[in-house]
Amino acid sequence: MIRLFESGSIMQYLVEQYDTEHTISYPKGSRESYEVNNWLFFLNAGVGPMQGQANHFFRYAPEKVQYGIDRYQNETRRLYRVLNKHLEAANTEYLVGNKCTIADIAHWGWIAAAGWAGVDIDEFPVLKAWDERMLGRPGVEKGRHVPTPHKMKAMLQDKEAMDRAAKQASDWIVRGQKEDAKK
């Protein structure tokens, strides 16, 4: 029995087991394969945790803590600058070459939700172009609506909808924290 519980290791496992034709990966041991792993680790150790904290302090925390908001939004921006500079310097369509890989797929959900964390994607023009290129892929368009319709991009255009969603999520988080404290 294999016990997988961390998203990065789950993605690596799925690619290794099921992407034998390297549709969203590169052959194991190749330079590109190692680079894909770099970007998966960058996501799992950087973008995900930092943007997740930006989301929490900006949208969900029951009281606004400006230090937390600033700290995590600025760190998310720094990580976005790394991605933006990399894509610009590499002059490729995707994170590793001109092939959409698991690293791109894994990053896309976070980048698509930049505004939810209070980060303006327009600050990062090359990353924004990558985001639009990803959204233009039929597989991304289809997959982003599983299991429910992905409404983030539309919601970011509607402040009232964002406020309602943030309030609902915040209430759920606070309720969960109270329940966990009783255990």
Side-chain angles (χ1 to χ4, degrees), residues 18-160:
Y18 299 103
D19 188 33
T20 57
E21 295 183 16
H22 307 293
T23 304
I24 58 169
S25 66
Y26 289 97
K28 190 171 184 166
S30 67
R31 175 188 59 81
E32 295 88 352
S33 175
Y34 290 115
E35 288 183 22
V36 167
N37 279 341
N38 281 339
W39 290 111
L40 281 176
F41 283 86
F42 180 82
L43 171 75
N44 285 336
V47 175
M50 296 300 108
Q51 189 168 335
Q53 292 296 320
N55 291 340
H56 176 78
F57 282 102
F58 186 61
R59 297 280 178 197
Y60 308 137
E63 61 271 342
K64 294 297 177 194
V65 179
Q66 196 60 48
Y67 172 82
I69 293 169
D70 293 344
R71 163 76 174 100
Y72 292 109
Q73 284 180 342
N74 289 336
E75 183 60 11
T76 300
R77 284 186 188 94
R78 185 189 72 77
L79 295 166
Y80 278 28
R81 277 193 300 278
V82 170
L83 289 162
N84 194 75
K85 286 179 183 178
H86 166 72
L87 287 163
E88 185 174 35
N91 196 28
T92 58
E93 292 185 357
Y94 300 100
L95 291 172
V96 181
N98 289 316
K99 176 181 185 173
C100 179
T101 68
I102 190 67
D104 297 283
I105 296 164
H107 275 84
W108 183 79
W110 288 100
I111 305 306
W116 188 252
V119 174
D120 184 359
I121 193 69
D122 290 336
E123 294 176 37
F124 313 96
V126 182
L127 185 59
K128 181 180 179 182
W130 170 90
D131 174 41
E132 292 168 353
R133 190 168 30 262
M134 288 295 291
L135 189 56
R137 295 180 60 84
V140 172
E141 177 58 26
K142 183 178 177 182
R144 76 186 185 111
H145 298 296
V146 175
T148 60
H150 180 261
K151 299 176 184 176
M152 181 58 69
K153 294 273 187 189
M155 187 170 49
L156 290 172
Q157 306 304 315
D158 182 346
K159 184 178 177 345
E160 288 180 13

